[in-house]
Amino acid sequence: MVLALALALAASAAGAQAFPSKQVTIIVGVAPGGTLDALSRLVAAGLAPILKQPVVVENVTGAGGLLGFQRLMKSEPDGHTLNFSNMSLLIIRHMQPKGGFDPLADLAPVTGVATVPMVMAVSNASGIKDLPALMAHMRRNPGKVNLGSGGPGTTAHLAEALFLNMSKADAQLVQYRGSGPALTDLMSGVIDGMIDQTVTLMPLHTGKRAHAIAVSTPRRIAQMPDVPTFAEGGLPEFDLRIWNGLLAPKGTPRPVLERLSAAVSQVIDGAEYKDRVEKQLASEIPPAAERGPDAFRKLLEKDAARVAELIKAIGLKPAN
């Protein structure tokens, strides 16, 4: 048994030394154009010169991100196929209970890369100017307001269900295959509003293509100083900031995970990434002490319990 263990450890070390030996693919479970896609491509672009291999993003959409994880779980656990996700991965098992996916058991966390605030925005055509006005409009017209999101089980879906629960109002939750199509319909007035991350909604607000009415941070953010917080709008308990990170299939050798984590740290500490994420996207980069496989796993375990409590509290139902 000792010999077998030694051989296994030697094989693991050899595999890590050989990594990467070919193209690295990062699976993103949403359509191009949304928050996950934007951040994943920033990370991929930075990783390629460090790993000295091509790093490509592959969008595998469907079932609230489940199809992307199923694709990941079928891949070799050697670090060459990864997944870029956010807190939505902890929602999937509740929304897709028949999908056979357990995020804590089926994934090997690599590291977190950014924490992004949520923003509520309304279409210019809606005529809504602030959060209290939106809530009052929904209460007067139950079920008449349409709120879009990037699909069932996404963080936006959870955020909007939580918003309706807290505001004691009713609206139609329209599910899209990714936030990109939802953003298009928000700008054209097909839907009345949506909650998503600053990565996608801040440019629409500053470009006057939609109107942001609330941010989920405790204080207003410098990049959108004219937008009140949810607390200022009457919902002090709405606090839902979303982490984003990189994951591998279970069984990926520890040295490979550490190699990937170190490479990602180089990317997110770089001036170009920090400028884009902190200044342009109003997001936070995790400090060094909160990076790596162990820290990321602790975050997943903590938020898995939080998500389960939220889903129970707001009565979010499975998609199948």
Side-chain angles (χ1 to χ4, degrees):
M1 179 177 290
V2 173
L3 178 60
L5 179 59
L7 290 173
L9 291 172
S12 174
Q17 289 174 357
F19 174 82
S21 58
K22 58 183 178 180
Q23 172 181 293
V24 174
T25 299
I26 299 178
I27 298 169
V28 181
V30 297
T35 301
L36 276 180
D37 186 66
L39 284 172
S40 69
R41 292 178 189 279
L42 273 178
V43 171
L47 280 177
I50 297 171
L51 297 179
K52 296 181 171 56
Q53 291 288 350
V55 181
V56 300
V57 172
E58 180 181 344
N59 297 89
V60 181
T61 64
L66 177 62
L67 297 187
F69 285 110
Q70 290 176 334
R71 157 97 159 75
L72 179 76
M73 290 155 58
K74 293 176 182 177
S75 67
E76 287 293 324
D78 59 6
H80 291 96
T81 305
L82 307 168
N83 186 285
F84 194 93
S85 190
N86 58 24
M87 199 167 71
S88 63
L89 71 92
L90 302 173
I91 306 171
I92 292 174
R93 68 180 303 181
H94 300 280
M95 297 299 296
Q96 307 284 345
K98 299 178 182 178
F101 173 64
D102 182 343
L104 298 182
D106 296 331
L107 301 176
V110 177
T111 189
V113 302
T115 301
V116 189
M118 303 292 281
V119 178
M120 164 70 83
V122 294
S123 72
N124 292 331
S126 71
I128 300 294
K129 300 301 182 185
D130 54 40
L131 190 63
L134 174 62
M135 293 189 290
H137 180 63
M138 289 192 300
R139 292 171 188 142
R140 288 194 305 267
N141 303 278
K144 298 293 180 65
V145 172
N146 296 314
L147 301 179
S149 75
T154 59
T155 54
H157 184 196
L158 178 67
E160 289 173 2
L162 181 63
F163 166 67
L164 294 181
N165 180 271
M166 287 184 170
S167 62
K168 295 179 171 47
D170 186 27
Q172 295 294 324
L173 299 184
V174 183
Q175 309 299 335
Y176 289 80
R177 291 177 67 89
S179 60
L183 293 166
T184 299
D185 279 0
L186 177 70
M187 289 184 285
S188 63
V190 173
I191 57 175
D192 301 299
M194 66 183 292
I195 297 177
D196 206 36
Q197 300 181 45
T198 51
V199 179
T200 52
L201 287 178
M202 189 167 65
L204 270 61
H205 176 73
T206 55
K208 301 188 183 305
R209 291 172 288 171
H211 180 55
I213 57 175
V215 295
S216 67
T217 46
R219 294 173 294 279
R220 296 191 186 196
I221 58 177
Q223 296 82 355
M224 304 170 71
D226 59 323
V227 181
T229 64
F230 275 92
E232 288 179 270
L235 296 180
E237 296 181 358
F238 191 98
D239 182 3
L240 200 62
R241 284 161 284 173
I242 309 301
W243 49 257
N244 296 260
L246 201 63
L247 304 115
K250 69 176 180 180
T252 302
R254 175 73 183 206
V256 172
L257 297 176
E258 291 177 347
R259 167 81 171 105
L260 283 165
S261 177
V264 172
S265 277
Q266 283 185 253
V267 175
I268 67 179
D269 282 335
E272 182 178 354
Y273 183 90
K274 292 182 73 172
D275 183 75
R276 178 80 187 277
V277 169
E278 293 179 348
K279 295 181 181 178
Q280 297 182 37
L281 305 180
S283 304
E284 297 178 352
I285 295 172
E290 296 177 12
R291 302 178 194 172
D294 293 334
F296 198 18
R297 176 166 290 281
K298 287 180 182 178
L299 177 61
L300 263 62
E301 291 172 348
K302 176 184 175 183
D303 267 6
R306 181 188 181 208
V307 165
E309 291 176 0
L310 281 174
I311 287 177
K312 181 178 179 181
I314 62 183
L316 206 57
K317 302 299 182 183
N320 56 10

